[in-house]
Amino acid sequence: PRDGHYFAFCDYSFIELCTLAQICLWMFGRSTLADAINDGLDPHLAMAAEDLDISYAEAKRRLAAGDPEIVAQRQRCKARNFGFPGGLGPDTYVAYARGYGVNLTRHAAKQEKEKWYRKWPEMRDYHQYFSDRTLGGRTFTLVQQGSGRVRGGVGFCDGANSGFQGLAADGIKRAGWNITKECYLRDPYRNGAPPTALYGSAPVLFLHDELILEVPVDTAHEAAHRLSEVMISGMREVVPDVKVSTEFAIASRWYKGAKPVFVNGRLVPWEPKKKTS
C-alpha cells in the first residue's frame, strides 16, 4: 500500500455454503446445513469429525493444535462441500478433489458423495429439482432467488451452481457498493450522519469472496471492523436466515495467510513468521 496505509483484508467464511443453505430453506423449508451454520459449526469440520467418529469439540481442539489428521480430513471435506453442490459426478470430482490435495479413485469418489448426501440430506432434493428440469438435455430459465436476475438456457450443473453462487455474488456486490460509497463519500447514505470509519480508505481488490482495502494506518483498526460489518450487512440483504460471518486482518502488504493480531485490544499488522536456518 501507499505510505501511511495498510491493507485490510476481509473474506466471508464458507459463504457459498451459507447461500446454498439459504436457497434450500427457500426451496424446501428445511436445511441441515443451515442448522449447522446457525449453531456456530464449521461445516467442513463437522463432517470431518463425523468421518473420524469423534466429537465436534474434540475435532475443534485438535484443529486448533494443528493436528495433521484433522487438518487433512477437513481439507478432504472442503472438497466435498464445495465440489458436490454444483453437480459434479465421480469422474469430474476425482479431478476436482486433486486441487485440494485429495487423491481418489472413481469408486472412492462415489462413496464420498454418498457421505455428503447423508450429512446434508436436503441436497438430494436440490439436485433432483434441477435433474427434473433438464432431463434429456433440456434447458430451462432460472430466476435468481433474492435478486430476480434471469438466466436462460440453463442445464443441470448451470442451475445447481447458479442458485447459490449467484446469491453469493449478489450479496458481495451489494456489500462492495456500500463499502465504496463509505470510502469516498462523507455522507454515503444521505442521512446526515458523519463519515464512517471507512472514509479515506480505498478499495483495491475484489477476489471471489474477499475484499481488500487500502486503509490509513491511524484508523486501520476501525476501518477493518467496519469493512467486516458492511460485508455482513450487505450479504444479509440476500441471506436473511443463515448466519454470515467474516475473517479479517491488516498487514503491510498482501499475504494469503494473514490472520488477525491484537495488541491491547487493537488490531495490528500481521507479519509472517521469520524462517530460521
Side-chain angles (χ1 to χ4, degrees), residues 174-191 194-203 213 222-223 225-231 233-234:
R174 289 175 190 228
W177 171 242
N178 287 333
I179 287 163
T180 302
K181 288 195 296 183
E182 292 194 18
C183 285
Y184 294 118
L185 301 179
R186 289 184 176 275
D187 187 4
Y189 304 109
R190 300 181 180 179
N191 56 5
T196 76
L198 288 178
Y199 186 68
S201 300
L213 304 187
E222 291 80 7
H225 280 81
R226 182 58 184 167
L227 173 60
S228 172
E229 290 172 0
V230 181
M231 284 181 65
S233 64

PDB file of all heavy atoms in Angstrom, residues 174-191 194-203 213 222-223 225-231 233-234:
ATOM      1  N   ARG A 174     -23.507  -6.143  -3.384  1.00  0.00           N
ATOM      2  CA  ARG A 174     -24.231  -5.143  -2.601  1.00  0.00           C
ATOM      3  C   ARG A 174     -23.315  -4.563  -1.531  1.00  0.00           C
ATOM      4  O   ARG A 174     -23.287  -3.358  -1.293  1.00  0.00           O
ATOM      5  CB  ARG A 174     -25.470  -5.769  -1.964  1.00  0.00           C
ATOM      6  CG  ARG A 174     -26.573  -6.092  -2.950  1.00  0.00           C
ATOM      7  CD  ARG A 174     -27.727  -6.832  -2.292  1.00  0.00           C
ATOM      8  NE  ARG A 174     -28.646  -7.337  -3.311  1.00  0.00           N
ATOM      9  CZ  ARG A 174     -29.960  -7.197  -3.270  1.00  0.00           C
ATOM     10  NH1 ARG A 174     -30.522  -6.548  -2.281  1.00  0.00           N
ATOM     11  NH2 ARG A 174     -30.724  -7.692  -4.225  1.00  0.00           N
ATOM     12  N   ALA A 175     -22.568  -5.458  -0.887  1.00  0.00           N
ATOM     13  CA  ALA A 175     -21.623  -5.010   0.135  1.00  0.00           C
ATOM     14  C   ALA A 175     -20.547  -4.115  -0.486  1.00  0.00           C
ATOM     15  O   ALA A 175     -20.206  -3.060   0.062  1.00  0.00           O
ATOM     16  CB  ALA A 175     -20.983  -6.213   0.813  1.00  0.00           C
ATOM     17  N   GLY A 176     -20.021  -4.531  -1.630  1.00  0.00           N
ATOM     18  CA  GLY A 176     -18.969  -3.758  -2.280  1.00  0.00           C
ATOM     19  C   GLY A 176     -19.422  -2.360  -2.665  1.00  0.00           C
ATOM     20  O   GLY A 176     -18.643  -1.394  -2.575  1.00  0.00           O
ATOM     21  N   TRP A 177     -20.685  -2.247  -3.074  1.00  0.00           N
ATOM     22  CA  TRP A 177     -21.236  -0.932  -3.445  1.00  0.00           C
ATOM     23  C   TRP A 177     -21.268  -0.011  -2.228  1.00  0.00           C
ATOM     24  O   TRP A 177     -20.826   1.138  -2.279  1.00  0.00           O
ATOM     25  CB  TRP A 177     -22.628  -1.114  -4.032  1.00  0.00           C
ATOM     26  CG  TRP A 177     -23.416   0.139  -4.266  1.00  0.00           C
ATOM     27  CD1 TRP A 177     -24.598   0.480  -3.695  1.00  0.00           C
ATOM     28  CD2 TRP A 177     -23.090   1.225  -5.142  1.00  0.00           C
ATOM     29  NE1 TRP A 177     -25.038   1.693  -4.149  1.00  0.00           N
ATOM     30  CE2 TRP A 177     -24.119   2.182  -5.052  1.00  0.00           C
ATOM     31  CE3 TRP A 177     -22.023   1.476  -6.000  1.00  0.00           C
ATOM     32  CZ2 TRP A 177     -24.122   3.371  -5.765  1.00  0.00           C
ATOM     33  CZ3 TRP A 177     -22.026   2.667  -6.722  1.00  0.00           C
ATOM     34  CH2 TRP A 177     -23.057   3.591  -6.607  1.00  0.00           C
ATOM     35  N   ASN A 178     -21.747  -0.546  -1.103  1.00  0.00           N
ATOM     36  CA  ASN A 178     -21.821   0.272   0.108  1.00  0.00           C
ATOM     37  C   ASN A 178     -20.428   0.606   0.652  1.00  0.00           C
ATOM     38  O   ASN A 178     -20.198   1.710   1.149  1.00  0.00           O
ATOM     39  CB  ASN A 178     -22.657  -0.436   1.173  1.00  0.00           C
ATOM     40  CG  ASN A 178     -24.131  -0.420   0.851  1.00  0.00           C
ATOM     41  OD1 ASN A 178     -24.618   0.481   0.162  1.00  0.00           O
ATOM     42  ND2 ASN A 178     -24.866  -1.403   1.335  1.00  0.00           N
ATOM     43  N   ILE A 179     -19.515  -0.344   0.562  1.00  0.00           N
ATOM     44  CA  ILE A 179     -18.146  -0.091   1.014  1.00  0.00           C
ATOM     45  C   ILE A 179     -17.509   1.025   0.192  1.00  0.00           C
ATOM     46  O   ILE A 179     -16.861   1.926   0.728  1.00  0.00           O
ATOM     47  CB  ILE A 179     -17.311  -1.390   0.931  1.00  0.00           C
ATOM     48  CG1 ILE A 179     -17.749  -2.349   2.047  1.00  0.00           C
ATOM     49  CG2 ILE A 179     -15.817  -1.102   1.021  1.00  0.00           C
ATOM     50  CD1 ILE A 179     -17.313  -3.774   1.842  1.00  0.00           C
ATOM     51  N   THR A 180     -17.702   0.984  -1.111  1.00  0.00           N
ATOM     52  CA  THR A 180     -17.136   2.019  -1.982  1.00  0.00           C
ATOM     53  C   THR A 180     -17.710   3.393  -1.647  1.00  0.00           C
ATOM     54  O   THR A 180     -16.981   4.383  -1.574  1.00  0.00           O
ATOM     55  CB  THR A 180     -17.400   1.670  -3.459  1.00  0.00           C
ATOM     56  OG1 THR A 180     -16.830   0.394  -3.743  1.00  0.00           O
ATOM     57  CG2 THR A 180     -16.786   2.705  -4.384  1.00  0.00           C
ATOM     58  N   LYS A 181     -19.018   3.449  -1.409  1.00  0.00           N
ATOM     59  CA  LYS A 181     -19.629   4.723  -1.038  1.00  0.00           C
ATOM     60  C   LYS A 181     -19.035   5.243   0.264  1.00  0.00           C
ATOM     61  O   LYS A 181     -18.744   6.446   0.396  1.00  0.00           O
ATOM     62  CB  LYS A 181     -21.147   4.556  -0.897  1.00  0.00           C
ATOM     63  CG  LYS A 181     -21.879   4.362  -2.203  1.00  0.00           C
ATOM     64  CD  LYS A 181     -23.380   4.563  -2.067  1.00  0.00           C
ATOM     65  CE  LYS A 181     -24.008   3.520  -1.150  1.00  0.00           C
ATOM     66  NZ  LYS A 181     -25.491   3.680  -1.083  1.00  0.00           N
ATOM     67  N   GLU A 182     -18.857   4.345   1.233  1.00  0.00           N
ATOM     68  CA  GLU A 182     -18.335   4.781   2.531  1.00  0.00           C
ATOM     69  C   GLU A 182     -16.880   5.216   2.445  1.00  0.00           C
ATOM     70  O   GLU A 182     -16.428   6.044   3.234  1.00  0.00           O
ATOM     71  CB  GLU A 182     -18.501   3.667   3.569  1.00  0.00           C
ATOM     72  CG  GLU A 182     -19.949   3.397   3.911  1.00  0.00           C
ATOM     73  CD  GLU A 182     -20.142   2.547   5.152  1.00  0.00           C
ATOM     74  OE1 GLU A 182     -19.180   2.432   5.950  1.00  0.00           O
ATOM     75  OE2 GLU A 182     -21.249   2.014   5.346  1.00  0.00           O
ATOM     76  N   CYS A 183     -16.126   4.668   1.498  1.00  0.00           N
ATOM     77  CA  CYS A 183     -14.734   5.069   1.330  1.00  0.00           C
ATOM     78  C   CYS A 183     -14.614   6.489   0.779  1.00  0.00           C
ATOM     79  O   CYS A 183     -13.694   7.229   1.151  1.00  0.00           O
ATOM     80  CB  CYS A 183     -14.016   4.114   0.383  1.00  0.00           C
ATOM     81  SG  CYS A 183     -13.605   2.489   1.096  1.00  0.00           S
ATOM     82  N   TYR A 184     -15.532   6.881  -0.098  1.00  0.00           N
ATOM     83  CA  TYR A 184     -15.356   8.125  -0.844  1.00  0.00           C
ATOM     84  C   TYR A 184     -16.340   9.242  -0.484  1.00  0.00           C
ATOM     85  O   TYR A 184     -16.106  10.394  -0.846  1.00  0.00           O
ATOM     86  CB  TYR A 184     -15.463   7.834  -2.343  1.00  0.00           C
ATOM     87  CG  TYR A 184     -14.345   6.967  -2.866  1.00  0.00           C
ATOM     88  CD1 TYR A 184     -14.604   5.721  -3.418  1.00  0.00           C
ATOM     89  CD2 TYR A 184     -13.019   7.385  -2.793  1.00  0.00           C
ATOM     90  CE1 TYR A 184     -13.588   4.918  -3.896  1.00  0.00           C
ATOM     91  CE2 TYR A 184     -11.985   6.587  -3.267  1.00  0.00           C
ATOM     92  CZ  TYR A 184     -12.273   5.353  -3.820  1.00  0.00           C
ATOM     93  OH  TYR A 184     -11.247   4.560  -4.281  1.00  0.00           O
ATOM     94  N   LEU A 185     -17.413   8.924   0.201  1.00  0.00           N
ATOM     95  CA  LEU A 185     -18.432   9.943   0.493  1.00  0.00           C
ATOM     96  C   LEU A 185     -18.524  10.229   1.988  1.00  0.00           C
ATOM     97  O   LEU A 185     -18.528   9.308   2.808  1.00  0.00           O
ATOM     98  CB  LEU A 185     -19.804   9.481  -0.017  1.00  0.00           C
ATOM     99  CG  LEU A 185     -19.911   9.175  -1.509  1.00  0.00           C
ATOM    100  CD1 LEU A 185     -21.324   8.703  -1.839  1.00  0.00           C
ATOM    101  CD2 LEU A 185     -19.542  10.389  -2.347  1.00  0.00           C
ATOM    102  N   ARG A 186     -18.618  11.498   2.322  1.00  0.00           N
ATOM    103  CA  ARG A 186     -18.751  11.883   3.735  1.00  0.00           C
ATOM    104  C   ARG A 186     -20.126  11.492   4.288  1.00  0.00           C
ATOM    105  O   ARG A 186     -20.265  11.197   5.479  1.00  0.00           O
ATOM    106  CB  ARG A 186     -18.553  13.396   3.889  1.00  0.00           C
ATOM    107  CG  ARG A 186     -17.116  13.850   3.676  1.00  0.00           C
ATOM    108  CD  ARG A 186     -16.966  15.344   3.936  1.00  0.00           C
ATOM    109  NE  ARG A 186     -15.579  15.754   3.823  1.00  0.00           N
ATOM    110  CZ  ARG A 186     -14.688  15.684   4.812  1.00  0.00           C
ATOM    111  NH1 ARG A 186     -15.071  15.223   5.991  1.00  0.00           N
ATOM    112  NH2 ARG A 186     -13.447  16.081   4.636  1.00  0.00           N
ATOM    113  N   ASP A 187     -21.134  11.532   3.444  1.00  0.00           N
ATOM    114  CA  ASP A 187     -22.494  11.174   3.877  1.00  0.00           C
ATOM    115  C   ASP A 187     -23.021  10.126   2.903  1.00  0.00           C
ATOM    116  O   ASP A 187     -23.885  10.410   2.066  1.00  0.00           O
ATOM    117  CB  ASP A 187     -23.379  12.422   3.875  1.00  0.00           C
ATOM    118  CG  ASP A 187     -24.760  12.166   4.461  1.00  0.00           C
ATOM    119  OD1 ASP A 187     -25.011  11.036   4.937  1.00  0.00           O
ATOM    120  OD2 ASP A 187     -25.596  13.094   4.436  1.00  0.00           O
ATOM    121  N   PRO A 188     -22.500   8.883   2.979  1.00  0.00           N
ATOM    122  CA  PRO A 188     -22.798   7.883   1.933  1.00  0.00           C
ATOM    123  C   PRO A 188     -24.263   7.512   1.814  1.00  0.00           C
ATOM    124  O   PRO A 188     -24.707   7.120   0.736  1.00  0.00           O
ATOM    125  CB  PRO A 188     -21.957   6.678   2.364  1.00  0.00           C
ATOM    126  CG  PRO A 188     -21.741   6.862   3.827  1.00  0.00           C
ATOM    127  CD  PRO A 188     -21.626   8.343   4.025  1.00  0.00           C
ATOM    128  N   TYR A 189     -25.029   7.635   2.889  1.00  0.00           N
ATOM    129  CA  TYR A 189     -26.432   7.215   2.848  1.00  0.00           C
ATOM    130  C   TYR A 189     -27.392   8.401   2.896  1.00  0.00           C
ATOM    131  O   TYR A 189     -28.586   8.232   3.071  1.00  0.00           O
ATOM    132  CB  TYR A 189     -26.714   6.239   3.986  1.00  0.00           C
ATOM    133  CG  TYR A 189     -25.781   5.048   3.922  1.00  0.00           C
ATOM    134  CD1 TYR A 189     -24.767   4.880   4.859  1.00  0.00           C
ATOM    135  CD2 TYR A 189     -25.881   4.118   2.894  1.00  0.00           C
ATOM    136  CE1 TYR A 189     -23.890   3.800   4.775  1.00  0.00           C
ATOM    137  CE2 TYR A 189     -25.013   3.043   2.803  1.00  0.00           C
ATOM    138  CZ  TYR A 189     -24.017   2.898   3.752  1.00  0.00           C
ATOM    139  OH  TYR A 189     -23.144   1.836   3.669  1.00  0.00           O
ATOM    140  N   ARG A 190     -26.818   9.609   2.766  1.00  0.00           N
ATOM    141  CA  ARG A 190     -27.613  10.830   2.710  1.00  0.00           C
ATOM    142  C   ARG A 190     -28.590  10.936   3.885  1.00  0.00           C
ATOM    143  O   ARG A 190     -29.759  11.289   3.718  1.00  0.00           O
ATOM    144  CB  ARG A 190     -28.369  10.917   1.376  1.00  0.00           C
ATOM    145  CG  ARG A 190     -27.438  10.940   0.162  1.00  0.00           C
ATOM    146  CD  ARG A 190     -28.203  11.044  -1.131  1.00  0.00           C
ATOM    147  NE  ARG A 190     -27.292  11.064  -2.278  1.00  0.00           N
ATOM    148  CZ  ARG A 190     -27.692  11.133  -3.541  1.00  0.00           C
ATOM    149  NH1 ARG A 190     -28.985  11.197  -3.829  1.00  0.00           N
ATOM    150  NH2 ARG A 190     -26.813  11.146  -4.520  1.00  0.00           N
ATOM    151  N   ASN A 191     -28.081  10.624   5.071  1.00  0.00           N
ATOM    152  CA  ASN A 191     -28.932  10.690   6.259  1.00  0.00           C
ATOM    153  C   ASN A 191     -28.390  11.680   7.291  1.00  0.00           C
ATOM    154  O   ASN A 191     -28.851  11.719   8.427  1.00  0.00           O
ATOM    155  CB  ASN A 191     -29.055   9.302   6.900  1.00  0.00           C
ATOM    156  CG  ASN A 191     -27.696   8.703   7.245  1.00  0.00           C
ATOM    157  OD1 ASN A 191     -26.670   9.353   7.096  1.00  0.00           O
ATOM    158  ND2 ASN A 191     -27.705   7.463   7.697  1.00  0.00           N
ATOM    159  N   PRO A 194     -22.300  11.370  10.275  1.00  0.00           N
ATOM    160  CA  PRO A 194     -20.897  11.666   9.963  1.00  0.00           C
ATOM    161  C   PRO A 194     -20.288  10.549   9.120  1.00  0.00           C
ATOM    162  O   PRO A 194     -20.862   9.459   9.005  1.00  0.00           O
ATOM    163  CB  PRO A 194     -20.242  11.731  11.350  1.00  0.00           C
ATOM    164  CG  PRO A 194     -21.112  10.878  12.220  1.00  0.00           C
ATOM    165  CD  PRO A 194     -22.505  11.082  11.699  1.00  0.00           C
ATOM    166  N   PRO A 195     -19.124  10.790   8.522  1.00  0.00           N
ATOM    167  CA  PRO A 195     -18.473   9.734   7.740  1.00  0.00           C
ATOM    168  C   PRO A 195     -18.228   8.494   8.594  1.00  0.00           C
ATOM    169  O   PRO A 195     -18.032   8.592   9.809  1.00  0.00           O
ATOM    170  CB  PRO A 195     -17.146  10.378   7.312  1.00  0.00           C
ATOM    171  CG  PRO A 195     -17.372  11.845   7.416  1.00  0.00           C
ATOM    172  CD  PRO A 195     -18.339  12.048   8.540  1.00  0.00           C
ATOM    173  N   THR A 196     -18.235   7.328   7.961  1.00  0.00           N
ATOM    174  CA  THR A 196     -17.954   6.094   8.686  1.00  0.00           C
ATOM    175  C   THR A 196     -16.443   5.883   8.783  1.00  0.00           C
ATOM    176  O   THR A 196     -15.659   6.643   8.217  1.00  0.00           O
ATOM    177  CB  THR A 196     -18.591   4.870   7.990  1.00  0.00           C
ATOM    178  OG1 THR A 196     -17.806   4.527   6.835  1.00  0.00           O
ATOM    179  CG2 THR A 196     -20.023   5.152   7.583  1.00  0.00           C
ATOM    180  N   ALA A 197     -16.060   4.823   9.478  1.00  0.00           N
ATOM    181  CA  ALA A 197     -14.636   4.528   9.674  1.00  0.00           C
ATOM    182  C   ALA A 197     -13.934   4.159   8.376  1.00  0.00           C
ATOM    183  O   ALA A 197     -12.700   4.090   8.337  1.00  0.00           O
ATOM    184  CB  ALA A 197     -14.478   3.396  10.689  1.00  0.00           C
ATOM    185  N   LEU A 198     -14.686   3.943   7.306  1.00  0.00           N
ATOM    186  CA  LEU A 198     -14.068   3.612   6.020  1.00  0.00           C
ATOM    187  C   LEU A 198     -13.702   4.847   5.212  1.00  0.00           C
ATOM    188  O   LEU A 198     -12.975   4.746   4.225  1.00  0.00           O
ATOM    189  CB  LEU A 198     -15.005   2.730   5.183  1.00  0.00           C
ATOM    190  CG  LEU A 198     -15.178   1.293   5.664  1.00  0.00           C
ATOM    191  CD1 LEU A 198     -16.175   0.551   4.776  1.00  0.00           C
ATOM    192  CD2 LEU A 198     -13.835   0.563   5.664  1.00  0.00           C
ATOM    193  N   TYR A 199     -14.182   6.013   5.626  1.00  0.00           N
ATOM    194  CA  TYR A 199     -13.905   7.221   4.857  1.00  0.00           C
ATOM    195  C   TYR A 199     -12.396   7.478   4.818  1.00  0.00           C
ATOM    196  O   TYR A 199     -11.720   7.461   5.847  1.00  0.00           O
ATOM    197  CB  TYR A 199     -14.630   8.425   5.458  1.00  0.00           C
ATOM    198  CG  TYR A 199     -14.496   9.682   4.628  1.00  0.00           C
ATOM    199  CD1 TYR A 199     -15.105   9.761   3.380  1.00  0.00           C
ATOM    200  CD2 TYR A 199     -13.743  10.760   5.077  1.00  0.00           C
ATOM    201  CE1 TYR A 199     -14.984  10.907   2.600  1.00  0.00           C
ATOM    202  CE2 TYR A 199     -13.626  11.913   4.310  1.00  0.00           C
ATOM    203  CZ  TYR A 199     -14.246  11.968   3.073  1.00  0.00           C
ATOM    204  OH  TYR A 199     -14.120  13.102   2.291  1.00  0.00           O
ATOM    205  N   GLY A 200     -11.872   7.696   3.620  1.00  0.00           N
ATOM    206  CA  GLY A 200     -10.446   7.891   3.441  1.00  0.00           C
ATOM    207  C   GLY A 200      -9.716   6.625   3.038  1.00  0.00           C
ATOM    208  O   GLY A 200      -8.530   6.669   2.704  1.00  0.00           O
ATOM    209  N   SER A 201     -10.422   5.484   3.063  1.00  0.00           N
ATOM    210  CA  SER A 201      -9.849   4.230   2.580  1.00  0.00           C
ATOM    211  C   SER A 201     -10.126   4.106   1.087  1.00  0.00           C
ATOM    212  O   SER A 201     -10.837   4.934   0.506  1.00  0.00           O
ATOM    213  CB  SER A 201     -10.464   3.040   3.319  1.00  0.00           C
ATOM    214  OG  SER A 201     -10.227   3.121   4.707  1.00  0.00           O
ATOM    215  N   ALA A 202      -9.577   3.078   0.454  1.00  0.00           N
ATOM    216  CA  ALA A 202      -9.789   2.893  -0.981  1.00  0.00           C
ATOM    217  C   ALA A 202      -9.851   1.413  -1.312  1.00  0.00           C
ATOM    218  O   ALA A 202      -8.980   0.648  -0.894  1.00  0.00           O
ATOM    219  CB  ALA A 202      -8.667   3.540  -1.781  1.00  0.00           C
ATOM    220  N   PRO A 203     -10.895   0.966  -2.038  1.00  0.00           N
ATOM    221  CA  PRO A 203     -10.949  -0.432  -2.488  1.00  0.00           C
ATOM    222  C   PRO A 203      -9.777  -0.736  -3.422  1.00  0.00           C
ATOM    223  O   PRO A 203      -9.429   0.083  -4.273  1.00  0.00           O
ATOM    224  CB  PRO A 203     -12.281  -0.517  -3.233  1.00  0.00           C
ATOM    225  CG  PRO A 203     -13.083   0.650  -2.747  1.00  0.00           C
ATOM    226  CD  PRO A 203     -12.078   1.720  -2.459  1.00  0.00           C
ATOM    227  N   LEU A 213      -8.912  -3.554   1.048  1.00  0.00           N
ATOM    228  CA  LEU A 213      -8.884  -2.100   1.021  1.00  0.00           C
ATOM    229  C   LEU A 213      -7.519  -1.589   1.444  1.00  0.00           C
ATOM    230  O   LEU A 213      -6.805  -2.240   2.210  1.00  0.00           O
ATOM    231  CB  LEU A 213      -9.933  -1.504   1.986  1.00  0.00           C
ATOM    232  CG  LEU A 213     -11.391  -1.898   1.854  1.00  0.00           C
ATOM    233  CD1 LEU A 213     -12.230  -1.042   2.806  1.00  0.00           C
ATOM    234  CD2 LEU A 213     -11.884  -1.750   0.439  1.00  0.00           C
ATOM    235  N   GLU A 222     -10.317   0.503  13.181  1.00  0.00           N
ATOM    236  CA  GLU A 222     -11.732   0.834  12.981  1.00  0.00           C
ATOM    237  C   GLU A 222     -12.186   0.507  11.559  1.00  0.00           C
ATOM    238  O   GLU A 222     -13.301   0.012  11.357  1.00  0.00           O
ATOM    239  CB  GLU A 222     -11.964   2.331  13.257  1.00  0.00           C
ATOM    240  CG  GLU A 222     -11.811   2.731  14.716  1.00  0.00           C
ATOM    241  CD  GLU A 222     -10.364   2.916  15.161  1.00  0.00           C
ATOM    242  OE1 GLU A 222      -9.451   2.863  14.289  1.00  0.00           O
ATOM    243  OE2 GLU A 222     -10.135   3.122  16.365  1.00  0.00           O
ATOM    244  N   ALA A 223     -11.318   0.773  10.583  1.00  0.00           N
ATOM    245  CA  ALA A 223     -11.692   0.518   9.185  1.00  0.00           C
ATOM    246  C   ALA A 223     -11.895  -0.969   8.926  1.00  0.00           C
ATOM    247  O   ALA A 223     -12.839  -1.360   8.233  1.00  0.00           O
ATOM    248  CB  ALA A 223     -10.625   1.080   8.248  1.00  0.00           C
ATOM    249  N   HIS A 225     -12.774  -3.313  11.074  1.00  0.00           N
ATOM    250  CA  HIS A 225     -14.021  -3.743  11.702  1.00  0.00           C
ATOM    251  C   HIS A 225     -15.235  -3.258  10.897  1.00  0.00           C
ATOM    252  O   HIS A 225     -16.204  -4.003  10.725  1.00  0.00           O
ATOM    253  CB  HIS A 225     -14.106  -3.222  13.138  1.00  0.00           C
ATOM    254  CG  HIS A 225     -13.328  -4.034  14.119  1.00  0.00           C
ATOM    255  ND1 HIS A 225     -11.976  -3.897  14.293  1.00  0.00           N
ATOM    256  CD2 HIS A 225     -13.720  -5.033  14.964  1.00  0.00           C
ATOM    257  CE1 HIS A 225     -11.565  -4.753  15.214  1.00  0.00           C
ATOM    258  NE2 HIS A 225     -12.593  -5.455  15.627  1.00  0.00           N
ATOM    259  N   ARG A 226     -15.169  -2.030  10.404  1.00  0.00           N
ATOM    260  CA  ARG A 226     -16.285  -1.516   9.606  1.00  0.00           C
ATOM    261  C   ARG A 226     -16.403  -2.272   8.291  1.00  0.00           C
ATOM    262  O   ARG A 226     -17.527  -2.564   7.826  1.00  0.00           O
ATOM    263  CB  ARG A 226     -16.104  -0.021   9.332  1.00  0.00           C
ATOM    264  CG  ARG A 226     -17.243   0.616   8.537  1.00  0.00           C
ATOM    265  CD  ARG A 226     -18.578   0.451   9.232  1.00  0.00           C
ATOM    266  NE  ARG A 226     -19.675   0.982   8.433  1.00  0.00           N
ATOM    267  CZ  ARG A 226     -20.963   0.743   8.679  1.00  0.00           C
ATOM    268  NH1 ARG A 226     -21.326  -0.012   9.715  1.00  0.00           N
ATOM    269  NH2 ARG A 226     -21.894   1.254   7.903  1.00  0.00           N
ATOM    270  N   LEU A 227     -15.277  -2.621   7.690  1.00  0.00           N
ATOM    271  CA  LEU A 227     -15.298  -3.427   6.468  1.00  0.00           C
ATOM    272  C   LEU A 227     -16.046  -4.729   6.710  1.00  0.00           C
ATOM    273  O   LEU A 227     -16.901  -5.135   5.905  1.00  0.00           O
ATOM    274  CB  LEU A 227     -13.863  -3.710   6.019  1.00  0.00           C
ATOM    275  CG  LEU A 227     -13.654  -4.676   4.852  1.00  0.00           C
ATOM    276  CD1 LEU A 227     -14.349  -4.179   3.587  1.00  0.00           C
ATOM    277  CD2 LEU A 227     -12.154  -4.882   4.607  1.00  0.00           C
ATOM    278  N   SER A 228     -15.746  -5.394   7.826  1.00  0.00           N
ATOM    279  CA  SER A 228     -16.446  -6.631   8.170  1.00  0.00           C
ATOM    280  C   SER A 228     -17.935  -6.396   8.355  1.00  0.00           C
ATOM    281  O   SER A 228     -18.771  -7.155   7.852  1.00  0.00           O
ATOM    282  CB  SER A 228     -15.842  -7.223   9.449  1.00  0.00           C
ATOM    283  OG  SER A 228     -16.611  -8.317   9.912  1.00  0.00           O
ATOM    284  N   GLU A 229     -18.291  -5.334   9.066  1.00  0.00           N
ATOM    285  CA  GLU A 229     -19.705  -5.038   9.329  1.00  0.00           C
ATOM    286  C   GLU A 229     -20.490  -4.835   8.039  1.00  0.00           C
ATOM    287  O   GLU A 229     -21.610  -5.354   7.884  1.00  0.00           O
ATOM    288  CB  GLU A 229     -19.817  -3.777  10.194  1.00  0.00           C
ATOM    289  CG  GLU A 229     -19.349  -3.954  11.628  1.00  0.00           C
ATOM    290  CD  GLU A 229     -19.293  -2.627  12.370  1.00  0.00           C
ATOM    291  OE1 GLU A 229     -19.617  -1.578  11.735  1.00  0.00           O
ATOM    292  OE2 GLU A 229     -18.937  -2.622  13.552  1.00  0.00           O
ATOM    293  N   VAL A 230     -19.916  -4.094   7.100  1.00  0.00           N
ATOM    294  CA  VAL A 230     -20.638  -3.795   5.862  1.00  0.00           C
ATOM    295  C   VAL A 230     -20.704  -5.031   4.968  1.00  0.00           C
ATOM    296  O   VAL A 230     -21.711  -5.256   4.281  1.00  0.00           O
ATOM    297  CB  VAL A 230     -20.000  -2.608   5.122  1.00  0.00           C
ATOM    298  CG1 VAL A 230     -20.785  -2.287   3.849  1.00  0.00           C
ATOM    299  CG2 VAL A 230     -19.967  -1.378   6.017  1.00  0.00           C
ATOM    300  N   MET A 231     -19.664  -5.844   4.982  1.00  0.00           N
ATOM    301  CA  MET A 231     -19.721  -7.082   4.205  1.00  0.00           C
ATOM    302  C   MET A 231     -20.821  -7.992   4.726  1.00  0.00           C
ATOM    303  O   MET A 231     -21.566  -8.613   3.952  1.00  0.00           O
ATOM    304  CB  MET A 231     -18.370  -7.786   4.234  1.00  0.00           C
ATOM    305  CG  MET A 231     -17.338  -7.131   3.325  1.00  0.00           C
ATOM    306  SD  MET A 231     -15.721  -7.942   3.304  1.00  0.00           S
ATOM    307  CE  MET A 231     -16.126  -9.539   2.575  1.00  0.00           C
ATOM    308  N   SER A 233     -23.557  -7.034   6.532  1.00  0.00           N
ATOM    309  CA  SER A 233     -24.883  -6.434   6.314  1.00  0.00           C
ATOM    310  C   SER A 233     -25.294  -6.504   4.851  1.00  0.00           C
ATOM    311  O   SER A 233     -26.469  -6.732   4.538  1.00  0.00           O
ATOM    312  CB  SER A 233     -24.893  -4.981   6.801  1.00  0.00           C
ATOM    313  OG  SER A 233     -24.001  -4.173   6.055  1.00  0.00           O
ATOM    314  N   GLY A 234     -24.342  -6.339   3.931  1.00  0.00           N
ATOM    315  CA  GLY A 234     -24.673  -6.449   2.515  1.00  0.00           C
ATOM    316  C   GLY A 234     -25.120  -7.843   2.146  1.00  0.00           C
ATOM    317  O   GLY A 234     -26.090  -8.027   1.403  1.00  0.00           O
TER     318      GLY A 234
END
